[in-house]
Amino acid sequence: MNDAIAPCGYRCKPIVDCAMTIHHKSNIGQDRDANPVVQLPDGERHIRNVNWVGLQTLYMKEVRRFFKVQLQTVWAPSITTLLYLIIFTVALGSVKPTVLGVSFADFIAPGLIIMGMMQNAFANSSFSLLVGKIQGTIVDYLMPPLSNAEVLAALTAAAVTRAFLVGGTIWLAMVFWPGVHVTPVHLGAVLWFGLMGSMMLALIGVMTSIWAEKFDHAAAISNFIVAPAALLSGTFYSVDKLSPVFQAISHANPFFYAISGFRYGFIGNADSPVMFGALLLLALNAVLGLICYLLLRSGWKLRA
C-alpha cells in the first residue's frame, strides 16, 4: 500500500517506520543543521531527532486518564496500603519488637510504601494498550508520528508518575500516624530504588498489556505473579530470619532488592547489599526495556 500524501506535502508514515519530531514553520528556510526536516532522495520528508511534543502529549494523555479517576487510582490504593500499617500496629499493641535495629512499625512502613508504588505502576501500564485493543482504539497509539521508543517512554513515565503520587500520599499519611518514623536518612536511595522498582513494574505492565487480550489476562498476572512476589519479598519480615532455602528464594526475587534498598533509605539498614541491588535493578530494567521495545517494533498482538 502506498503511503498517503497529506495536503501539506508530507508523506504519512506509521510509527513503526520512523521516529519523527514536530517542526515549526519558522524552521523552514533555515540551514540544514538547524532544520529538523530531512529531504530524502525519493521525495519523502522525515523529521529527525526526538518528537518531544508528541512524547509529552502521550504522557499527559496517560496521566490525565488515571488522574480523572484519582479517587480510584491514587487515594484508594493509598488507604488500602495504609490499612496494613494500622492493622499491624494496633494488633501488636504494647508489644514493640525490633527488626534491623528499629521498631517493627518503622521497619514495615517503607516496604509498604514501595510495595504500593510498584503495584500501581503495574496497574497503570498494564491497562494502557490493553484497553486500546479491547475498545478498538489501539490505532491512537500506533498511528501518531511517534517511534516505538517514544511510545514506550511515555507509557513508562506515566506509570512511574502514578507510582510516585501513590507513594507520596502513603508517606504523607504515615508522617502523621503516631509511633511511625518515615523521615528519609538517605534520600538518594529512596529516590533511586523508588524509581527502579516502579520502572520495573511499569515495563512488566507494558509487556502484559501487549500480551493480554482481555482484562482477565492482566488480572491473572497481577494476582498470581505481582502480588505474591511483592508480599513475599521481605515487606513484613527480615529474610535473615528465614531458613536457607527461603532465603535463597527471596534473594532470587527482584522485588526483594527494591524493597530492601528503599527501606535502607529510611532506616539506614538493609538485609541485602545496597549497591548490588541498585545495579541489579538497573540491569534488569534495561533488559525489560529492550524486550518491550522489540515487542512494540514487531507489532506482536498489536497489528493484524
Side-chain angles (χ1 to χ4, degrees):
M1 181 184 295
N2 295 329
D3 298 327
I5 305 298
C8 62
Y10 288 93
R11 187 181 299 275
C12 299
K13 304 285 288 184
I15 81 163
V16 294
D17 289 337
C18 63
M20 305 175 68
T21 56
I22 300 299
H23 68 285
H24 302 282
K25 292 182 179 180
S26 59
N27 287 331
I28 299 178
Q30 296 179 3
D31 60 271
R32 181 182 179 88
D33 293 334
N35 192 349
V37 179
V38 180
Q39 186 74 36
L40 299 181
D42 60 357
E44 295 183 5
R45 285 181 282 184
H46 289 192
I47 304 175
R48 59 188 178 184
N49 301 326
V50 179
N51 185 351
W52 293 110
V53 175
L55 192 155
Q56 180 184 8
T57 302
L58 180 56
Y59 166 76
M60 291 304 302
K61 169 188 176 297
E62 292 297 309
V63 171
R64 288 174 179 173
R65 175 178 61 78
F66 76 76
F67 209 74
K68 283 184 177 179
V69 287
Q70 57 180 288
L71 188 64
Q72 174 186 348
T73 57
V74 177
W75 297 104
S78 303
I79 294 175
T80 301
T81 305
L82 185 62
L83 285 175
Y84 284 107
L85 179 66
I86 296 174
I87 291 171
F88 276 102
T89 54
V90 171
L92 290 174
S94 58
V95 180
K96 303 293 183 183
T98 59
V99 185
L100 294 181
V102 297
S103 67
F104 183 70
D106 293 348
F107 173 82
I108 66 171
L112 291 173
I113 295 174
I114 184 66
M115 185 180 70
M117 292 173 64
M118 292 192 296
Q119 289 179 337
N120 282 274
F122 173 84
N124 197 81
S125 60
S126 64
F127 183 82
S128 300
L129 296 178
L130 176 58
V131 72
K133 290 193 291 185
I134 292 176
Q135 295 181 349
T137 59
I138 190 66
V139 67
D140 294 342
Y141 294 93
L142 300 180
M143 288 307 295
L146 290 167
S147 69
N148 299 297
E150 290 163 352
V151 171
L152 178 61
L155 296 179
T156 303
V160 172
T161 300
R162 175 175 168 180
F164 272 83
L165 287 174
V166 172
T169 305
I170 300 172
W171 175 82
L172 187 63
M174 289 182 176
V175 167
F176 296 100
W177 187 255
V180 180
H181 306 88
V182 285
T183 303
V185 176
H186 302 286
L187 183 59
V190 173
L191 296 177
W192 176 260
F193 285 97
L195 175 63
M196 289 295 102
S198 302
M199 187 179 297
M200 177 177 66
L201 268 295
L203 293 171
I204 295 175
V206 172
M207 294 171 58
T208 300
S209 65
I210 295 174
W211 162 78
E213 297 178 354
K214 52 185 179 180
F215 291 121
D216 287 350
H217 293 164
I221 299 297
S222 177
N223 294 330
F224 298 115
I225 296 179
V226 175
L231 293 172
L232 299 177
S233 57
T235 303
F236 303 101
Y237 52 85
S238 174
V239 298
D240 293 338
K241 306 297 183 181
L242 301 178
S243 65
V245 174
F246 285 100
Q247 283 189 28
I249 295 175
S250 297
H251 286 115
N253 183 358
F255 287 60
F256 163 71
Y257 296 99
I259 293 174
S260 179
F262 191 81
R263 182 185 291 121
Y264 167 80
F266 283 93
I267 67 175
N269 292 319
D271 44 10
S272 69
V274 177
M275 185 57 65
F276 174 78
L279 296 177
L280 176 65
L281 291 174
L282 178 62
L284 181 58
N285 281 332
V287 173
L288 291 174
L290 178 61
I291 294 174
C292 290
Y293 172 78
L294 294 176
L295 289 175
L296 286 172
R297 190 177 69 172
S298 69
W300 179 62
K301 292 197 173 184
L302 293 177
R303 300 192 307 271

